[in-house]
């Protein structure tokens, strides 16, 4: 008797419902929008005393765009951000640019954006963005991935101890990132309810 494993159901992500059309044109536009929104969010940056890492809106943008775009397009949008910033476009926090930013003290957080985009995008494909109670753990895991990548590189690039890197690169951001995750966990399910009312569907994952 052959044993077959059930494959998890793949749900459409929000962008699939809001922007139908040619796959190539849609993908190009959505990747560009994800990059643009993350870059714009980076300009709302507040320095943190004693830390090279500023408070920005980028984490929030990464979470929202990844859930809306799905894993492949979300990762592509963050990869495009890295490339554009590395070649000199002012897309990083405070309008910074250059390869020295990518490989500098805060570069690990940018790599963390790629990991977070993959995690949240895949979670959205599995329907986790339909419910706040499923979305919140997804966003928390993605935020943790950003912290791990960011503080690991922060410690390696500056010579900080692990505890010093956590104090500078995690602790000042915990409350704000918790609020961002909670807000994102409320916004995406609300957006799905609006879309469901518009097109008459009731897909909740």
């Amino acid at each position: 008797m052959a044993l077959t494993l059930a494959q998890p159901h793949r749900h459409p992500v929000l962008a699939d419902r809001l922007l139908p059309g040619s796959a190539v044109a849609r993908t190009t536009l959505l990747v560009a929008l994800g990059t643009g929104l993350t870059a714009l969010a980076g300009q709302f940056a507040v320095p943190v005393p004693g830390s090279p890492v500023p408070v920005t809106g980028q984490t929030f943008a990464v979470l929202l765009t990844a859930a809306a775009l799905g894993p492949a397009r979300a990762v592509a949008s963050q990869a495009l951000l890295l490339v554009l910033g590395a070649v000199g476009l002012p897309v990083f926090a405070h309008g910074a640019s250059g390869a020295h930013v990518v490989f500098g003290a805060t570069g690990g957080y940018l790599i963390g954006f790629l990991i977070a985009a993959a995690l949240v995008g895949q979670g959205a494909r599995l329907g986790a963005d339909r419910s706040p109670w499923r979305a919140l753990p997804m966003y928390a895991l993605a935020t943790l991935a950003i912290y791990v990548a960011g503080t690991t590189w922060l410690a390696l690039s500056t010579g900080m101890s692990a505890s010093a890197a956590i104090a500078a690169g995690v602790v000042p951001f915990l409350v704000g990132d918790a609020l961002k995750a909670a807000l994102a966990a409320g916004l995406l399910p609300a957006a799905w309810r609006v879309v469901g009312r518009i097109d008459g569907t009731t897909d909740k994952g």
Side-chain angles (χ1 to χ4, degrees):
M1 178 183 295
L3 178 63
T4 58
L5 298 177
Q7 296 296 315
H9 179 56
R10 287 171 54 85
H11 295 260
V13 293
L14 194 60
D16 296 331
R17 291 282 182 85
L18 295 179
L19 194 64
S22 165
V24 174
R26 179 175 62 188
T27 295
T28 302
L29 176 59
L30 290 173
V31 168
L33 283 173
T35 301
L37 287 173
T38 308
L40 180 62
Q43 308 320 304
F44 299 92
V46 179
V48 176
S51 173
V53 187
V55 173
T56 75
Q58 284 183 307
T59 305
F60 185 60
V62 171
L63 298 180
L64 282 182
T65 58
L69 298 182
R73 291 179 297 215
V75 171
S77 71
Q78 297 307 319
L80 180 59
L81 183 82
L82 286 175
V83 171
L84 294 179
V87 300
L89 272 67
V91 296
F92 299 140
H94 295 297
S97 64
H100 69 281
V101 178
V102 177
F103 295 103
T106 60
Y109 294 92
L110 298 173
I111 301 303
F113 291 169
L114 292 168
I115 302 169
L119 291 172
V120 173
Q122 183 59 30
R125 277 287 180 212
L126 298 177
D129 61 331
R130 306 304 208 273
S131 160
W133 306 114
R134 295 177 66 191
L136 191 57
M138 174 179 71
Y139 292 137
L141 178 61
T143 302
L144 177 62
I146 295 173
Y147 283 156
V148 170
T151 55
T152 299
W153 183 250
L154 181 62
L156 291 173
S157 64
T158 63
M160 287 183 181
S161 66
S163 59
I166 291 171
V170 175
V171 174
F173 310 99
L174 286 172
V175 173
D177 285 339
L179 292 175
K180 293 174 193 175
L183 181 58
L187 283 176
L188 264 295
W192 273 111
R193 287 194 293 272
V194 171
V195 169
R197 284 196 289 267
I198 291 172
D199 63 16
T201 63
T202 58
D203 181 11
K204 298 180 181 178

Short mmCIF file of all heavy atoms in Angstrom, two decimals, residues 34-67:
data_model
loop_
_atom_site.label_atom_id
_atom_site.label_comp_id
_atom_site.label_asym_id
_atom_site.label_seq_id
_atom_site.Cartn_x
_atom_site.Cartn_y
_atom_site.Cartn_z
N GLY A 34 7.09 46.44 -2.54
CA GLY A 34 7.63 45.97 -1.27
C GLY A 34 8.94 46.65 -0.94
O GLY A 34 9.19 47.06 0.20
N THR A 35 9.80 46.80 -1.95
CA THR A 35 11.08 47.49 -1.75
C THR A 35 10.85 48.95 -1.39
O THR A 35 11.46 49.48 -0.46
CB THR A 35 11.93 47.40 -3.02
OG1 THR A 35 12.16 46.03 -3.34
CG2 THR A 35 13.26 48.11 -2.84
N GLY A 36 9.96 49.60 -2.13
CA GLY A 36 9.70 51.01 -1.89
C GLY A 36 9.13 51.29 -0.52
O GLY A 36 9.53 52.25 0.16
N LEU A 37 8.20 50.47 -0.08
CA LEU A 37 7.59 50.67 1.23
C LEU A 37 8.61 50.45 2.35
O LEU A 37 8.62 51.20 3.34
CB LEU A 37 6.40 49.73 1.40
CG LEU A 37 5.16 50.08 0.59
CD1 LEU A 37 4.12 48.98 0.70
CD2 LEU A 37 4.56 51.41 1.06
N THR A 38 9.46 49.45 2.20
CA THR A 38 10.48 49.21 3.22
C THR A 38 11.49 50.35 3.26
O THR A 38 11.91 50.80 4.33
CB THR A 38 11.22 47.89 2.96
OG1 THR A 38 10.26 46.82 2.81
CG2 THR A 38 12.15 47.54 4.12
N ALA A 39 11.88 50.83 2.08
CA ALA A 39 12.81 51.97 2.02
C ALA A 39 12.19 53.21 2.64
O ALA A 39 12.84 53.94 3.40
CB ALA A 39 13.21 52.24 0.58
N LEU A 40 10.92 53.48 2.33
CA LEU A 40 10.25 54.64 2.89
C LEU A 40 10.15 54.54 4.40
O LEU A 40 10.39 55.53 5.12
CB LEU A 40 8.84 54.76 2.27
CG LEU A 40 7.99 55.94 2.75
CD1 LEU A 40 8.66 57.27 2.38
CD2 LEU A 40 6.59 55.86 2.14
N ALA A 41 9.82 53.35 4.90
CA ALA A 41 9.71 53.16 6.35
C ALA A 41 11.05 53.39 7.05
O ALA A 41 11.09 53.79 8.22
CB ALA A 41 9.20 51.75 6.65
N GLY A 42 12.15 53.15 6.34
CA GLY A 42 13.46 53.34 6.93
C GLY A 42 13.80 54.80 7.16
O GLY A 42 14.72 55.11 7.94
N GLN A 43 13.08 55.70 6.50
CA GLN A 43 13.37 57.11 6.67
C GLN A 43 12.75 57.67 7.95
O GLN A 43 13.09 58.77 8.37
CB GLN A 43 12.89 57.90 5.44
CG GLN A 43 13.40 57.35 4.11
CD GLN A 43 14.85 56.90 4.17
OE1 GLN A 43 15.74 57.67 4.53
NE2 GLN A 43 15.09 55.64 3.80
N PHE A 44 11.85 56.92 8.55
CA PHE A 44 11.31 57.28 9.86
C PHE A 44 12.19 56.61 10.91
O PHE A 44 11.88 55.53 11.42
CB PHE A 44 9.85 56.84 9.99
CG PHE A 44 8.94 57.48 8.99
CD1 PHE A 44 8.68 56.88 7.76
CD2 PHE A 44 8.36 58.71 9.26
CE1 PHE A 44 7.85 57.48 6.83
CE2 PHE A 44 7.52 59.32 8.33
CZ PHE A 44 7.27 58.70 7.12
N ALA A 45 13.32 57.23 11.17
CA ALA A 45 14.35 56.61 12.01
C ALA A 45 14.69 57.52 13.18
O ALA A 45 14.85 58.72 13.01
CB ALA A 45 15.60 56.32 11.19
N VAL A 46 14.81 56.91 14.36
CA VAL A 46 15.16 57.64 15.57
C VAL A 46 16.40 57.00 16.18
O VAL A 46 16.39 55.79 16.48
CB VAL A 46 14.01 57.61 16.60
CG1 VAL A 46 14.40 58.35 17.87
CG2 VAL A 46 12.74 58.19 16.00
N PRO A 47 17.49 57.75 16.36
CA PRO A 47 18.69 57.17 16.96
C PRO A 47 18.44 56.67 18.38
O PRO A 47 17.63 57.24 19.11
CB PRO A 47 19.69 58.33 16.95
CG PRO A 47 19.15 59.31 15.96
CD PRO A 47 17.66 59.17 16.00
N VAL A 48 19.14 55.61 18.75
CA VAL A 48 19.06 55.07 20.11
C VAL A 48 20.41 55.34 20.79
O VAL A 48 21.44 54.87 20.31
CB VAL A 48 18.78 53.56 20.09
CG1 VAL A 48 18.81 52.99 21.51
CG2 VAL A 48 17.43 53.28 19.43
N PRO A 49 20.42 56.09 21.88
CA PRO A 49 21.69 56.38 22.56
C PRO A 49 22.43 55.10 22.94
O PRO A 49 21.84 54.17 23.50
CB PRO A 49 21.25 57.16 23.80
CG PRO A 49 19.94 57.77 23.42
CD PRO A 49 19.28 56.76 22.52
N GLY A 50 23.71 55.04 22.60
CA GLY A 50 24.52 53.88 22.95
C GLY A 50 24.39 52.70 22.03
O GLY A 50 24.99 51.65 22.28
N SER A 51 23.61 52.86 20.95
CA SER A 51 23.41 51.74 20.02
C SER A 51 23.59 52.25 18.59
O SER A 51 23.12 53.33 18.25
CB SER A 51 22.02 51.13 20.18
OG SER A 51 21.78 50.16 19.16
N PRO A 52 24.25 51.48 17.74
CA PRO A 52 24.34 51.87 16.32
C PRO A 52 23.07 51.57 15.55
O PRO A 52 22.96 51.92 14.36
CB PRO A 52 25.51 51.00 15.81
CG PRO A 52 25.46 49.78 16.66
CD PRO A 52 25.02 50.24 18.02
N VAL A 53 22.11 50.93 16.20
CA VAL A 53 20.88 50.52 15.53
C VAL A 53 19.77 51.51 15.86
O VAL A 53 19.41 51.68 17.03
CB VAL A 53 20.46 49.10 15.98
CG1 VAL A 53 19.27 48.62 15.16
CG2 VAL A 53 21.62 48.13 15.88
N PRO A 54 19.20 52.18 14.86
CA PRO A 54 18.12 53.13 15.14
C PRO A 54 16.76 52.43 15.20
O PRO A 54 16.60 51.30 14.71
CB PRO A 54 18.17 54.07 13.94
CG PRO A 54 18.63 53.18 12.82
CD PRO A 54 19.59 52.19 13.44
N VAL A 55 15.80 53.09 15.80
CA VAL A 55 14.41 52.65 15.72
C VAL A 55 13.85 53.13 14.39
O VAL A 55 13.93 54.32 14.06
CB VAL A 55 13.58 53.24 16.87
CG1 VAL A 55 12.10 52.91 16.68
CG2 VAL A 55 14.06 52.71 18.21
N THR A 56 13.33 52.22 13.59
CA THR A 56 12.75 52.59 12.30
C THR A 56 11.42 51.87 12.11
O THR A 56 11.04 51.00 12.90
CB THR A 56 13.68 52.21 11.12
OG1 THR A 56 13.61 50.79 10.91
CG2 THR A 56 15.11 52.63 11.38
N GLY A 57 10.75 52.23 11.02
CA GLY A 57 9.52 51.53 10.67
C GLY A 57 9.76 50.35 9.77
O GLY A 57 8.80 49.71 9.30
N GLN A 58 11.04 50.01 9.52
CA GLN A 58 11.33 48.97 8.54
C GLN A 58 10.82 47.59 8.94
O GLN A 58 10.31 46.85 8.10
CB GLN A 58 12.83 48.91 8.27
CG GLN A 58 13.33 50.03 7.40
CD GLN A 58 14.80 49.92 7.10
OE1 GLN A 58 15.62 49.80 8.00
NE2 GLN A 58 15.15 49.96 5.83
N THR A 59 10.96 47.25 10.21
CA THR A 59 10.49 45.93 10.64
C THR A 59 9.00 45.78 10.36
O THR A 59 8.54 44.74 9.87
CB THR A 59 10.76 45.73 12.14
OG1 THR A 59 12.14 45.93 12.41
CG2 THR A 59 10.37 44.32 12.57
N PHE A 60 8.24 46.82 10.67
CA PHE A 60 6.80 46.79 10.41
C PHE A 60 6.52 46.62 8.92
O PHE A 60 5.65 45.82 8.52
CB PHE A 60 6.18 48.09 10.93
CG PHE A 60 4.70 48.15 10.84
CD1 PHE A 60 3.90 47.22 11.48
CD2 PHE A 60 4.08 49.16 10.12
CE1 PHE A 60 2.51 47.27 11.41
CE2 PHE A 60 2.69 49.23 10.04
CZ PHE A 60 1.91 48.29 10.68
N ALA A 61 7.28 47.34 8.08
CA ALA A 61 7.09 47.23 6.64
C ALA A 61 7.42 45.84 6.14
O ALA A 61 6.73 45.29 5.27
CB ALA A 61 7.94 48.27 5.93
N VAL A 62 8.48 45.25 6.69
CA VAL A 62 8.87 43.89 6.27
C VAL A 62 7.76 42.90 6.61
O VAL A 62 7.40 42.06 5.78
CB VAL A 62 10.19 43.48 6.94
CG1 VAL A 62 10.48 41.99 6.70
CG2 VAL A 62 11.35 44.33 6.41
N LEU A 63 7.22 43.00 7.81
CA LEU A 63 6.16 42.07 8.22
C LEU A 63 4.93 42.20 7.33
O LEU A 63 4.38 41.20 6.85
CB LEU A 63 5.78 42.33 9.68
CG LEU A 63 6.86 42.13 10.75
CD1 LEU A 63 6.30 42.43 12.13
CD2 LEU A 63 7.46 40.74 10.69
N LEU A 64 4.50 43.44 7.11
CA LEU A 64 3.28 43.65 6.33
C LEU A 64 3.47 43.25 4.87
O LEU A 64 2.61 42.56 4.30
CB LEU A 64 2.86 45.11 6.41
CG LEU A 64 2.15 45.57 7.68
CD1 LEU A 64 1.77 47.04 7.54
CD2 LEU A 64 0.90 44.74 7.95
N THR A 65 4.56 43.68 4.26
CA THR A 65 4.74 43.38 2.85
C THR A 65 4.95 41.89 2.62
O THR A 65 4.46 41.34 1.63
CB THR A 65 5.92 44.17 2.25
OG1 THR A 65 7.13 43.87 2.98
CG2 THR A 65 5.66 45.66 2.30
N ALA A 66 5.64 41.22 3.55
CA ALA A 66 5.85 39.78 3.38
C ALA A 66 4.54 39.02 3.43
O ALA A 66 4.30 38.11 2.64
CB ALA A 66 6.81 39.27 4.45
N ALA A 67 3.67 39.39 4.37
CA ALA A 67 2.37 38.72 4.46
C ALA A 67 1.52 38.99 3.23
O ALA A 67 0.79 38.11 2.75
CB ALA A 67 1.64 39.17 5.72
#
